[in-house]
Amino acid sequence: MGITGNLTSNQLQSFNSQGYLVIESFANPEEIDAMMKRMEQLLDDFDCSSTASIFSTKNQQKLTDNYFFESSEKISFFFEEKAFGEDGNLQQPKELSINKVGHALHEHDPVFKNFSSSEKFSSMLLSLGYKRPVVIQSMYIFKQPGIGGEVVPHQDNSFLYTEPTTCTGLWLALEDATIQNGCLWAIPGSHKNGLVRRFLRGEQGVYFDRPFPSYDQKDFVPIEVKAGSLVIIHGDLIHQSFENQSPKSRHAYSLHVVDTDGCKWAQDNWIRRKVEPEPLYAS
C-alpha cells in the first residue's frame, strides 16, 4: 500500500496562508526520550578538546570554517558563543556549552535516522507536494539555559537553495518552547514576498549576496509549542529566535528538506556534496 498525505485541507490552507504550521503531538514521548538519551550518549563520547568551533548567526561569515563545511556529511559539535570565558576555557560543563550538533545526524546515527525517515514524515511531505524529497541537513539544537544564542531573522531558502526553491524546515520541539526559553518567532505571511537574499560559498569563503534587511519586531509573533510538536516552516518564511535567558533549556531536532524532482541544487550553496541521497519515499 502506498504512502498517502496526512495533512488536512484546513492545515494546508493555514500553511499556505501563514507560512508555517504547528502539528501537536507529532512525536510521542518514547521517540522524544530516545533522541534525547541518544544525544546524551553522543555528548558523553565527544572530546571537547578536539575542537572549539563556535556557531553564531551574528558572526556567521567570520566563524564559518572547514570544520563547519565538513559537518554537512558528519556529526559535528558546535559551541555557544558565550560558552568560553576570557581565559579560553569553558565556563560550564560541555553538555551545557554546545549550541548544536549537525549536520548529518539523519544519515549517520540510527536513532535519528529512524525518526527522520519515518512514514509520518513522508506522508506529510507528500501532502506538501514533494515528489522526491531528501533531507539535506539535520541539527540537534540545545538553546542552553542562560547562554543559548540568538538566531537572527532569516529564510531557510537562503542557505539551501534549489531552482525553483523547494526547502522546507521541520522543527521538532523536544522540550516545551516558550517566550522565556527562546521559542521561534515568525512574520506570518512573509513567505509570500519571496526570497530576500542568498548565503553563498565562493573561493574566499561564505557571504550573503545582499545586505541584512531591517525588520520591524512588532511584525513577529511567538510560536510557543509543547514538547512533541512539529513546526513546518516554509523556505521563504522570515523567522528567528531570541537568546535563552531562562534557567531552562529548549532542545529541538530540526530537519531541512528539498525536492530532487524537477529542480536543481545550487552548486554555490554552502553544502557542496552531491545531493542525491536515498529519497524518503519512492515516487
Side-chain angles (χ1 to χ4, degrees), residues 15-42:
F15 176 73
N16 291 329
S17 171
Q18 300 297 307
Y20 67 92
L21 176 69
V22 176
I23 303 178
E24 296 179 351
S25 302
F26 185 85
N28 61 46
E30 291 75 24
E31 290 171 322
I32 294 171
D33 186 60
M35 285 186 278
M36 294 187 73
K37 284 184 175 176
R38 178 56 183 152
M39 185 50 63
E40 286 181 14
Q41 294 174 339
L42 290 173

Side-chain angles (χ1 to χ4, degrees), residues 60 64-65 67-74 100 102-104 106-107 134-139 156 158-162 167 198-202 205-206 255-258 264-277:
Q60 197 150 13
T64 299
D65 54 14
Y67 184 80
F68 182 86
F69 290 139
E70 293 168 0
S71 73
S72 67
E73 299 184 73
K74 298 180 179 179
K100 71 175 182 178
H103 290 91
H106 65 286
E107 290 186 351
V134 295
V135 177
I136 194 62
Q137 71 174 22
S138 54
M139 299 177 285
D156 293 337
S158 295
F159 304 90
L160 305 166
Y161 185 79
T162 61
C167 181
R198 286 191 58 202
F199 185 70
L200 305 172
R201 180 177 175 183
V206 292
L255 301 168
H256 289 94
V257 178
V258 297
K264 184 179 180 181
W265 178 255
Q267 294 304 305
D268 51 4
N269 282 325
W270 80 268
I271 294 178
R272 285 268 177 95
R273 64 186 173 87
K274 196 173 183 180
V275 183
E276 291 182 359

Side-chain angles (χ1 to χ4, degrees), residues 241-254:
S241 66
F242 296 108
E243 288 186 352
N244 180 6
Q245 298 180 343
S246 80
K248 293 184 178 180
S249 60
R250 191 226 63 189
H251 289 202
Y253 180 52
S254 173

Side-chain angles (χ1 to χ4, degrees), residues 54-56 58-59 63 79-84 99 147:
I54 295 170
F55 180 77
S56 167
K58 287 184 174 180
N59 299 307
L63 295 173
F79 289 97
E80 289 282 2
E81 260 191 302
K82 296 182 179 180
F84 298 92
N99 172 288
I147 64 169

